[in-house]
Amino acid sequence: QELFNFTFLFFTDTDMKQYRIPLMICLVLAVMLLLYPRRSGFHYRYQTGRVWNYEALTADFDFPILKTEEQLRAEREQKSSGVLDYYRYDPAVLEQVQRSVAGVVPDTVKYVADRSLRTIYSKGVVSYLNSKGDQILVKRDKRVGRYPSGEVFMPSDAAERLQEDISERYPDYNVDSLFKAARIAAMLLPNMTYDPETTATIAREAYNYISPTSGMVYAGQQIVDEGELVTAEIAQMLD
């Protein structure tokens, strides 16, 4: 009854007219705050390796499982360490080396030298092998493929292989003197060049192409049961 009398007086008394609009605004705001849905909080306390002491918890909605910073860091390190070095293959070098060697060796060994050079340069000759892994990436004939880094020749190794092939076919020939006099080792130019910029680009792409999530939890899926041990996987879903 008192509330009714106050309301009647509020809307009929002329002295209250100046307060009607501000009070009505406050009343509307108060009603809106009361009707506004409140967010439900996550009031559980848990720890990895401990028992879940609450009722079974089920997901109310779909949500992704975010990876931890440790997981992301480990994946980035793994991706970076697994990047293969990138090399470019130049087929024109073989012809240049063949002409140079053919101009200083006797006609009797030209065929063997030519065949040996083809084998050597098909594997690749590099002045500097940056790779520490078992494989490298080589762009060859507009295609990029994986090649065993252990089969690639350094110029000194290529000269040794060429000398061995000639000596095996002509054991009585003084190949060592020929190589020193004609300086054949200096003619064996690299036909594969390391490309640091492309290698760095590949490393950046591998580093950045890491998913921040490790899966999904769907609405209705049970996350943890009462009395269940909180594993690292369960804790990650709870987080």
Side-chain angles (χ1 to χ4, degrees):
Q1 182 65 32
E2 291 179 0
L3 179 61
F4 174 78
N5 293 337
F6 174 78
T7 305
F8 180 77
L9 180 63
F10 177 74
F11 283 101
T12 57
D13 192 342
T14 55
D15 293 337
M16 301 290 289
K17 184 177 180 180
Q18 58 179 333
Y19 301 108
R20 288 176 188 170
I21 294 178
L23 288 175
M24 289 180 66
I25 293 175
C26 292
L27 180 62
V28 171
L29 290 176
V31 172
M32 290 178 62
L33 289 174
L34 290 173
L35 296 178
Y36 192 79
R38 297 179 180 179
R39 296 180 61 186
S40 58
F42 191 81
H43 306 295
Y44 303 101
R45 298 180 63 182
Y46 57 92
Q47 186 176 350
T48 304
R50 298 290 183 86
V51 173
W52 179 259
N53 293 318
Y54 308 97
E55 72 279 1
L57 184 63
T58 303
D60 295 330
F61 49 85
D62 299 348
F63 64 89
I65 304 173
L66 299 178
K67 295 176 182 176
T68 64
E69 283 300 322
E70 290 76 12
Q71 289 175 320
L72 291 173
R73 190 181 305 110
E75 285 193 39
R76 292 189 185 105
E77 291 176 356
Q78 182 181 8
K79 290 279 187 179
S80 299
S81 62
V83 172
L84 302 180
D85 290 329
Y86 191 93
Y87 290 79
R88 297 183 181 276
Y89 181 91
D90 185 359
V93 175
L94 172 60
E95 298 179 4
Q96 178 183 350
V97 172
Q98 286 175 321
R99 288 195 299 269
S100 299
V101 174
V104 296
V105 298
D107 293 338
T108 52
V109 301
K110 283 183 179 180
Y111 173 77
V112 176
D114 184 76
R115 187 178 61 182
S116 177
L117 288 172
R118 288 181 182 277
T119 301
I120 293 169
Y121 277 85
S122 65
K123 301 291 184 180
V125 179
V126 296
S127 58
Y128 171 68
L129 188 61
N130 186 68
S131 176
K132 298 180 179 62
D134 297 331
Q135 292 183 321
I136 57 175
L137 291 176
V138 180
K139 185 178 182 182
R140 186 171 182 173
D141 299 329
K142 298 182 180 181
R143 293 183 179 182
V144 179
R146 293 170 175 256
Y147 290 85
S149 58
E151 296 184 4
V152 177
F153 291 88
M154 300 292 286
S156 58
D157 299 327
E160 183 178 350
R161 173 65 180 273
L162 176 61
Q163 188 171 344
E164 289 176 354
D165 289 343
I166 296 175
S167 297
E168 183 179 354
R169 179 66 179 82
Y170 301 99
D172 297 331
Y173 194 84
N174 193 347
V175 180
D176 186 58
S177 298
L178 172 64
F179 267 66
K180 290 180 180 179
R183 304 186 63 182
I184 293 178
M187 301 177 183
L188 305 185
L189 305 175
N191 69 334
M192 286 192 348
T193 306
Y194 174 62
D195 187 339
E197 294 183 359
T198 303
T199 302
T201 300
I202 295 173
R204 283 194 301 270
E205 291 177 354
Y207 184 88
N208 294 327
Y209 188 69
I210 296 176
S211 173
T213 64
S214 60
M216 285 286 297
V217 175
Y218 298 97
Q221 177 181 338
Q222 180 173 291
I223 298 174
V224 61
D225 198 4
E226 183 178 0
E228 186 177 0
L229 191 69
V230 178
T231 62
E233 292 77 12
I234 292 176
Q236 197 164 356
M237 289 189 288
L238 293 172
D239 291 341

